[in-house]
Amino acid sequence: MNDTVGQLAAAAHKYGPECTIGVVIGYGCNSSYLEKTSRITKFDAKARGYDHDNMIVVTEWEEFGKHGELDDILTQFDREVDAASVHKGKQLIDKLCGALYIGEVVRRVLSQLVLDRVLFEGQSCEKLDEDESFPTKYISEILGEEEGVFKACRRICEELEVEMHGTGDYIIIREVCDVISRRGASIVAAAISALLRHLELSSVKIGVGGALIQFHPTYHQMLKEKLEELTPITMKFELVPADEGSCQGAALIAAVAERLKL
């Protein structure tokens, strides 16, 4: 099992059998769901002695895009992040949505805005030009403040040793953080929507967890709003947080496996 299976198990234990999808939006993004065994054509259940009606499937949807399916939405900044990664051309969904990467995407956008003389009046900022100098936690801190309040933004600019910065700069930084976060949530919502259409359920609970769900102050709402736009109106869904996450799910599965031996 992996973290998404643990997430699904923890959420189903907490919210009941209607919870049949688990989604982890942490350093990367992936999901698992409960599928009818009869629909898994590449698995010969009879030959394997598997006599259960359902089986958990891990989508590994983070690999979607490796054949060019996402080329139309990749920006120059996404391509730069991909090129600098240890697995170029792979796990593109992670690089668009995951907490390990979106801070770096924001950093590259801000760095370009400095070059374009839109940010900091064009004054160079050496620290901002350093890889990984704008961690994703900065995004959470900036978006966690009320609109019009820029204490976190001001502090972060000081940590980056920006010589001159003001309200106009803070508004731009906040907007970039919001746009990159919203894009990531929209992509995850599109993936979940595709899964819901495949399952053809009238009602379902979706157990969500991971760093962005736990610590990003606006992510859950962004995800919910976009999913409401994309999901068929005949289908009722509920995003349910399972903060205990995959660790508790792994413990539950281990306990059930041990009980089955008795």
Side-chain angles (χ1 to χ4, degrees), residues 201-247:
L201 299 171
S202 59
S203 180
V204 64
K205 291 180 180 179
I206 305 160
V208 292
L212 288 178
I213 291 293
Q214 285 184 268
F215 303 117
H216 191 298
T218 59
Y219 197 93
H220 189 280
Q221 186 61 29
M222 288 178 177
L223 181 62
K224 180 175 179 289
E225 289 173 0
K226 180 55 70 171
L227 199 51
E228 286 172 346
E229 290 180 28
L230 298 176
T231 302
I233 58 174
T234 55
M235 183 176 291
K236 180 182 178 183
F237 75 88
E238 183 181 359
L239 288 177
V240 291
D243 295 338
E244 304 84 356
S246 53
C247 291

Side-chain angles (χ1 to χ4, degrees), residues 5 10 27 37 42 76 97 109 118 143 158 177 182 188 195 204-205 212 217 224 230 234-235 238 245:
V5 178
Y27 289 136
T37 307
K42 66 179 182 180
Q76 71 178 77
C97 309
V109 172
V118 174
L143 296 181
E158 291 171 356
C177 289
R182 194 172 297 276
V188 175
L195 190 53
V204 64
K205 291 180 180 179
L212 288 178
K224 180 175 179 289
L230 298 176
T234 55
M235 183 176 291
E238 183 181 359

Side-chain angles (χ1 to χ4, degrees), residues 8 28 50 61 92 107 123 126 155 159 171 185 192 214 216 240-241 244:
L8 175 55
Y50 188 85
W61 69 26
L92 291 177
R107 182 194 71 79
Q123 296 184 53
E126 291 185 7
R155 191 203 78 240
E159 289 179 7
I171 291 171
I192 295 173
Q214 285 184 268
H216 191 298
V240 291
E244 304 84 356

Side-chain angles (χ1 to χ4, degrees), residues 163-201:
E163 290 186 8
M164 292 181 62
H165 49 87
T167 302
D169 299 311
Y170 308 150
I171 291 171
I172 292 170
I173 293 169
R174 183 185 177 95
E175 180 69 13
V176 172
C177 289
D178 180 75
V179 167
I180 297 301
S181 299
R182 194 172 297 276
R183 182 187 68 158
S186 296
I187 291 169
V188 175
I192 295 173
S193 175
L195 190 53
L196 292 177
R197 290 169 187 270
H198 166 74
L199 291 175
E200 299 178 338
L201 299 171

Side-chain angles (χ1 to χ4, degrees), residues 119-187:
L119 195 62
F120 308 142
E121 297 183 354
Q123 296 184 53
S124 64
C125 175
E126 291 185 7
K127 277 205 170 184
L128 191 59
D129 290 333
E130 296 175 5
D131 289 349
E132 313 296 338
S133 62
F134 198 98
T136 300
K137 71 171 185 175
Y138 280 176
I139 298 176
S140 296
E141 291 171 2
I142 290 167
L143 296 181
E145 293 187 313
E146 293 181 10
E147 196 165 344
V149 177
F150 302 110
K151 288 182 180 178
C153 236
R154 185 181 299 112
R155 191 203 78 240
I156 289 166
C157 286
E158 291 171 356
E159 289 179 7
L160 292 171
E161 299 179 2
V162 179
E163 290 186 8
M164 292 181 62
H165 49 87
T167 302
D169 299 311
Y170 308 150
I171 291 171
I172 292 170
I173 293 169
R174 183 185 177 95
E175 180 69 13
V176 172
C177 289
D178 180 75
V179 167
I180 297 301
S181 299
R182 194 172 297 276
R183 182 187 68 158
S186 296
I187 291 169

